[in-house]
Amino acid sequence: MSRIIAQKLVWNTASRQLSFGGSIRSAIGGSSSVNVESSSSTNRSFGSHADWHGTTIVCVRKNGQVCMMGDGQVSMGSMMVKPNAKKIRRISSKNENAKDTIVGFAGSTADAFTLLERLEGKLDEYPGQLARSCVELAKGWRTDKYLRRLEASLLVADDTVSLELTGNGDVLESHDGVLGIGSGSAYAIAAARALKDIDEFSAEDVAKRSMEIASDMCVYTNKSFMIETMETAEEEKKDETK
């Protein structure tokens, strides 16, 4: 009886994956043979198209304050490549009468910054009109052949409204003042909605505690938080009446 075991290594250049396969041929007395293909394979991704994970951004509006908070972790597969990425930006308006805008992003960094530049252009075109600026950006994002390939999501907020923008052309405003994007957003949103009704918690307190919960549950979210806050228009009106 003789047994020959042959292992073959196949390099698939189209998908950039390594797949290991094996064939076992056994012959008994030379009268019969059986071919068996290995049923298990190990796939690994290489190159710049590997899946990128790693962000949680949450935005909370409460008691005259809007707070946006995000973590700093960037991961590629199971490896953490950066712990302190800056995923929240404050955009200052060129118009003196318009307020600043807070922006948080999840997804490809290059794609997110491309969208941020477009958003800044729309805000300059429609100063003080965040909702209209986001709608115009979403229209271009959805219809432009180049922009619709961008893989990112945005949270934007000013003193009047908080919005979520997606590549599907959606511009969403939360019904309860809580929004979130990224790999751990479901945990952060659920925690924020549960904590929002506690009177002694400010918007910043709610955002911080919900981010802590998300970082404990999502492996792609760490505790290196960045925060941006601003007073809302409702709070300013209250101060004027006092």
Side-chain angles (χ1 to χ4, degrees):
M1 182 180 68
S2 63
R3 177 175 296 177
I4 302 173
I5 301 178
Q7 291 287 342
K8 58 185 179 180
L9 175 64
V10 180
W11 173 251
N12 187 343
T13 57
S15 61
R16 296 184 179 181
Q17 293 180 338
L18 285 174
S19 60
F20 295 87
S23 63
I24 300 177
R25 173 174 295 177
S26 61
I28 302 176
S31 59
S32 62
S33 63
V34 179
N35 294 331
V36 180
E37 286 293 331
S38 175
S39 61
S40 63
S41 62
T42 303
N43 297 327
R44 297 181 181 180
S45 298
F46 294 85
S48 60
H49 297 288
D51 291 334
W52 286 80
H53 304 276
T55 245
T56 299
I57 309 291
V58 66
C59 181
V60 179
R61 303 182 76 93
K62 181 182 178 183
N63 295 340
Q65 184 185 52
V66 57
C67 175
M68 190 176 295
M69 184 176 291
D71 77 305
Q73 179 172 322
V74 177
S75 307
M76 185 171 65
S78 59
M79 179 177 64
M80 185 184 71
V81 295
K82 187 175 178 64
N84 59 346
K86 188 178 180 181
K87 305 172 187 177
I88 296 178
R89 297 287 190 277
R90 181 184 287 264
I91 301 176
S92 298
S93 176
K94 296 179 181 179
N95 191 306
E96 296 180 356
N97 297 324
K99 300 293 185 177
D100 291 349
T101 302
I102 303 173
V103 183
F105 64 85
S108 170
T109 303
D111 293 352
F113 275 98
T114 300
L115 293 170
L116 284 176
E117 291 177 359
R118 296 290 183 118
L119 178 60
E120 286 188 68
K122 295 299 181 183
L123 289 171
D124 291 338
E125 186 176 355
Y126 307 105
Q129 303 179 63
L130 180 60
R132 183 176 181 183
S133 300
C134 290
V135 170
E136 294 298 325
L137 175 63
K139 285 165 61 177
W141 191 353
R142 181 63 175 169
T143 57
D144 189 274
K145 290 182 179 180
Y146 169 70
L147 287 180
R148 66 186 177 190
R149 296 179 181 272
L150 301 182
E151 298 179 356
S153 297
L154 299 179
L155 282 186
V156 296
D158 64 2
D159 61 329
T160 60
V161 67
S162 300
L163 300 169
E164 177 185 349
L165 283 77
T166 71
N168 295 326
D170 298 324
V171 180
L172 307 175
E173 180 181 6
S174 175
H175 66 283
D176 57 1
V178 177
L179 287 171
I181 56 175
S183 55
S185 61
Y187 313 120
I189 292 173
R193 286 176 174 169
L195 297 169
K196 193 171 181 288
D197 293 334
I198 302 178
D199 294 335
E200 56 266 28
F201 281 4
S202 65
E204 184 174 343
D205 294 332
V206 173
K208 185 176 181 180
R209 290 181 181 240
S210 47
M211 282 296 300
E212 289 175 349
I213 292 172
S215 65
D216 289 337
M217 301 183 69
C218 176
V219 296
Y220 299 117
T221 302
N222 66 7
K223 294 183 181 293
S224 179
F225 301 144
M226 181 181 179
I227 184 171
E228 288 283 355
T229 61
M230 67 168 59
E231 290 187 353
T232 64
E234 291 81 0
E235 183 67 16
E236 293 178 356
K237 290 179 181 178
K238 290 180 181 178
D239 293 338
E240 292 176 357
T241 57
K242 288 181 181 180

